[in-house]
Amino acid sequence: DLANIINAAALLGGRKSKSYVEQEDMVEAVERAIAGLEKKSRRINPEEKRIVAYHESGHALIAETTKGARKVSKVSIIPRGLAALGYTLNTPEENKFLMQKHELIAEIDVLLGGRAAEDVFIGEISTGAGNDLERATDIVKSMAGIYGMSEIAGLMVLEKQRNTFLNGGTTKDYSDNMAQKLDEHIKKTLEERYVLVKERLVEYRGCIERIVSSLNEHETIDGEHLRELIAGFEQENAMASKLQHLPKSEHKPK
């Protein structure tokens, strides 16, 4: 995989008549592998662009303010590949081979962030969160059925992972009654996380608007700029809260 990325980066540098491969070529090669080619020529109407901006801002904000979530390296509203109208690129800070329960819940929250942002800021939901919801559902299902991370089945494994040489996948081994309980657990868990994610977005409403404004202006922002926007908003909020709790005489204009 690494060799393919480096080769793609070399081709990108060569097309620009560079004498050596630069970091920006490597980053673009990685993004192409993950999300596909940029489609700047793809025309989307202003309303769809607005929806995508809020959607991706929701993913990014939740990722940066949730313990255990992977940090954001880039947010873009430039279409890529065959279907993506925008994307938020999350990269782990280190190589990891295990995920703890709080990290899986954080990933669910980040996935729900896009749909929640549409709900809160647009006032209507779109089809853009289809893949996010599918992945979030799969995580909750695996937590309960494979990893023993729920009260629904305790330590009992509901789905056994098959040998990878037999095309992988899982086999189900539980009753219809347990299946119904599992469905109810998945639905309840997603609803609970969704409510919490929406509350976080409302709390950071002003910050979301700043992120959206920056995306509309530049179409792409990196993780560092995103964190600066969030830090600035949090500092302003902390200062405003401090002033509110001071005696009137201490902050009354002279």
Side-chain angles (χ1 to χ4, degrees):
D1 291 340
L2 183 58
N4 289 335
I5 291 295
I6 294 172
N7 184 57
L11 291 172
L12 289 169
R15 289 171 189 161
K16 298 175 183 177
S17 300
K18 294 180 180 180
S19 57
Y20 56 91
V21 177
E22 296 181 302
Q23 178 68 11
E24 64 181 31
D25 301 315
M26 298 290 287
V27 171
E28 174 61 21
V30 171
E31 291 182 30
R32 286 191 177 198
I34 294 173
L37 296 173
E38 278 193 352
K39 302 286 187 180
K40 289 188 176 182
S41 60
R42 183 183 297 168
R43 294 179 181 274
I44 61 174
N45 63 55
E47 180 59 21
E48 284 185 331
K49 186 175 181 180
R50 176 170 172 262
I51 293 171
V52 172
Y54 277 108
H55 184 104
E56 299 305 333
S57 296
H59 283 312
L61 188 282
I62 297 300
E64 286 296 324
T65 59
T66 303
K67 179 184 177 182
R70 291 177 297 173
K71 298 302 179 184
V72 175
S73 59
K74 189 174 185 179
V75 187
S76 175
I77 56 173
I78 298 175
R80 272 187 180 270
L82 297 175
L85 298 180
Y87 65 100
T88 300
L89 188 61
N90 305 76
T91 52
E93 296 178 326
E94 58 184 353
N95 290 331
K96 296 193 68 174
F97 301 97
L98 296 173
M99 289 191 73
Q100 293 179 294
K101 183 177 179 180
H102 80 277
E103 292 173 324
L104 290 170
I105 293 174
E107 188 168 345
I108 293 168
D109 289 354
V110 173
L111 288 168
L112 295 177
R115 165 71 171 260
E118 291 183 30
D119 202 350
V120 172
F121 297 97
I122 304 294
E124 188 174 356
I125 54 179
S126 74
T127 58
N131 182 251
D132 298 331
L133 298 179
E134 181 181 346
R135 289 161 62 193
T137 300
D138 287 343
I139 293 172
V140 179
K141 191 173 183 180
S142 294
M143 288 174 70
I146 298 175
Y147 305 123
M149 293 182 177
S150 75
E151 297 178 359
I152 188 70
L155 300 179
M156 183 171 65
V157 174
L158 302 180
E159 296 188 12
K160 299 177 182 178
Q161 294 179 307
R162 294 201 305 265
N163 193 310
T164 54
F165 293 104
L166 299 175
N167 298 321
T170 60
T171 57
K172 300 178 182 179
D173 185 21
Y174 50 88
S175 66
D176 292 341
N177 183 47
M178 178 60 76
Q180 183 177 349
K181 289 181 179 179
L182 181 60
D183 288 343
E184 291 172 353
H185 168 75
I186 294 171
K187 184 173 183 291
K188 181 182 178 183
T189 301
L190 290 173
E191 287 176 348
E192 289 175 348
R193 300 315 307 175
Y194 189 64
V195 168
L196 292 173
V197 167
K198 286 176 67 175
E199 289 175 354
R200 175 75 57 81
L201 293 176
V202 170
E203 178 187 350
Y204 280 80
R205 179 181 291 274
C207 187
I208 287 287
E209 296 294 355
R210 295 180 189 182
I211 298 171
V212 168
S213 177
S214 185
L215 281 173
N216 285 331
E217 181 180 355
H218 304 291
E219 293 192 313
T220 297
I221 59 175
D222 60 25
E224 184 177 349
H225 180 53
L226 173 68
R227 285 182 278 278
E228 288 174 357
L229 291 174
I230 295 173
F233 175 80
E234 289 176 339
Q235 289 173 1
E236 291 175 13
N237 264 17
M239 182 63 70
S241 178
K242 185 177 179 181
L243 290 173
Q244 285 179 353
H245 289 87
L246 286 174
K248 291 185 179 180
S249 58
E250 291 189 32
H251 60 86
K252 184 177 180 181
K254 295 181 179 180

